[in-house]
DNA sequence: GTTCAATTGATGTATATACATTTATTGTAG
DNA sequence: CTACAATAAATGTATATACATCAATTGAAC
C-alpha cells in the first residue's frame, strides 16, 4: 500500500501533526478491518472481543460495568449494552453485587474463555501477517505512541 | 498518561504485535476524542469533516460518491448518507452527472469552504497541544505506520 | 435492437458510539 | 430519621459503521 499520500490520494498535508493524525486514523481502519474479518465468523464484534479479553484479564475476579468501561479502548462507549449482548450468548454472566446493589459483578464464563482460546491462533497469525514490522520497529512504534499521548 | 500498560491497566501482552494493535486502537480513540470535541460546536462529526476535506482537495472539480468513498479513512463506510447530511446543511451540493446519469457530482459549497477555514486554526492548535512529539518523531512515526501497512 | 451483466448509488438492518437522561441504591447533612 | 446529593447502571436518541440488497442506468453480447 505504501505511503499515506498514495493510500488516500492526497498529496499534501497542512503540517506533520495533521499527517500523523490522518495516518493513524487510516492505519487504525486498516487493522480493525482485518480483526473484524477474523471475529465475524464467531459472531463477535471487535468491541465485544475487547470486553471478553478485559474480563479474562481479571483472572476470576468479577468486574463492575464501570471497571470494564475504564479499561475499554473506546472510552466513551457503553459497556452495559455490550455486556448484555455477551450475556445473551452465554459468554459472560452478570450478578448483582451483594455488598452494593447498585453495582453488578460481571464474569467471563467457561464458554467465553473457550471462545477466546479458540480465536487466539488466528488473531496471532493475522497480526503477524498484516503488520509488516520487525521486532525492533514494533517497540519503537509502541514507544512513539506512548510518547504521543504524553 | 504514559505507557499503554498503565493506560488500560493491563500488565502483559501476548506478543509485540498484539501490543501495537492495542496501542494503536487506544491512541486512535485518544485523538478522535479531541477532534470530536473541536468539531461538535459546529455540528460536524469527524467523518463529515473528513468528507468536506476530501471535497476541498478536489479544488473545484466535482467528486462522485465512489471517489469520496475511496479516499475516506473508514473505507467501508457510507459516503452517500454522509453527503446527504452535509447537503442538508448546505455544506455541499449534489447534482446528477450529465454524461452518466448513474453518477452524481458532489461539490463543496462556499459555506462549506468557509466552515473548514474557520475550523482550521483550532484543529492545528489542538493537534499541536495533544500530540507530544517533536518534528523528527512525527516523521519517524509516519514512516513506521506506512511500513506497517506494507 | 433486445437481453443480460456490470456499474453506481440509494436504502435496509444490526451493531456500536457519544452523549444525555433516568432509575435505583447508597451515603450524608441537618 | 428524612431529605438530598452522589454513585452505578440502564435506557433513550442521533449518528456512524458494516455490511447486504435493491433500483436505475449503462454497456456489451448475441
Amino acid at each position: 500500500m505504501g505511503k499515506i499520500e498514495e493510500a488516500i490520494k492526497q498529496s499534501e498535508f497542512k503540517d506533520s501533526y495533521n499527517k500523523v493524525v490522518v495516518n493513524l486514523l487510516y492505519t487504525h481502519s486498516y487493522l480493525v478491518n482485518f480483526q473484524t474479518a477474523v471475529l465475524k465468523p464467531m459472531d463477535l464484534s471487535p468491541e465485544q472481543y475487547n470486553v471478553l479479553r478485559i474480563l479474562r484479564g481479571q483472572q476470576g475476579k468479577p468486574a463492575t460495568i464501570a471497571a470494564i468501561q475504564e479499561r475499554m479502548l473506546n472510552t466513551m462507549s457503553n459497556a452495559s449494552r455490550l455486556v448484555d449482548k455477551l450475556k445473551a450468548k452465554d459468554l459472560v454472566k452478570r450478578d448483582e453485587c451483594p455488598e452494593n446493589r447498585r453495582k453488578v459483578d460481571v464474569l467471563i464464563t467457561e464458554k467465553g474463555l473457550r471462545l477466546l482460546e479458540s480465536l487466539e491462533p488466528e488473531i496471532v497469525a493475522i497480526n503477524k501477517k498484516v503488520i509488516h514490522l520487525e521486532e525492533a520497529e514494533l517497540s519503537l512504534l509502541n514507544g512513539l505512541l506512548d510518547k504521543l499521548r504524553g
Side-chain angles (χ1 to χ4, degrees), chain A residues 62-128:
Chain A
T64 63
I65 297 289
I68 295 170
Q69 189 102 36
E70 203 185 4
R71 287 165 177 75
M72 279 175 65
L73 300 173
N74 286 294
T75 48
M76 294 306 193
S77 182
N78 200 318
S80 180
R81 273 183 280 223
L82 285 172
V83 167
D84 258 17
K85 300 271 170 62
L86 292 170
K87 189 183 143 130
K89 295 184 241 188
D90 283 321
L91 300 174
V92 308
K93 62 201 204 67
R94 176 176 49 187
D95 297 303
E96 199 175 73
C97 185
E99 71 267 12
N100 188 336
R101 281 159 52 215
R102 282 173 305 186
K103 299 189 183 183
V104 292
D105 283 344
V106 183
L107 273 170
I108 189 167
T109 61
E110 265 307 313
K111 188 177 171 190
L113 285 169
R114 282 201 308 274
L115 177 57
L116 280 187
E117 228 171 297
S118 75
L119 279 167
E120 210 157 282
E122 218 178 337
I123 294 279
V124 168
I126 195 86
N127 282 347
K128 214 165 250 170

Side-chain angles (χ1 to χ4, degrees), chain A residues 21-70:
Chain A
V21 170
V22 170
N23 211 341
L24 252 160
L25 300 196
Y26 191 74
T27 306
H28 168 263
S29 170
Y30 168 86
L31 288 174
V32 168
N33 286 345
F34 288 114
Q35 243 195 331
T36 302
V38 172
L39 298 175
K40 193 177 172 110
M42 304 286 99
D43 264 310
L44 267 191
S45 73
E47 279 310 318
Q48 287 175 14
Y49 176 64
N50 186 32
V51 169
L52 281 184
R53 281 192 309 180
I54 288 167
L55 291 172
R56 181 178 60 183
Q58 289 290 105
Q59 298 178 309
K61 284 178 300 180
T64 63
I65 297 289
I68 295 170
Q69 189 102 36
E70 203 185 4

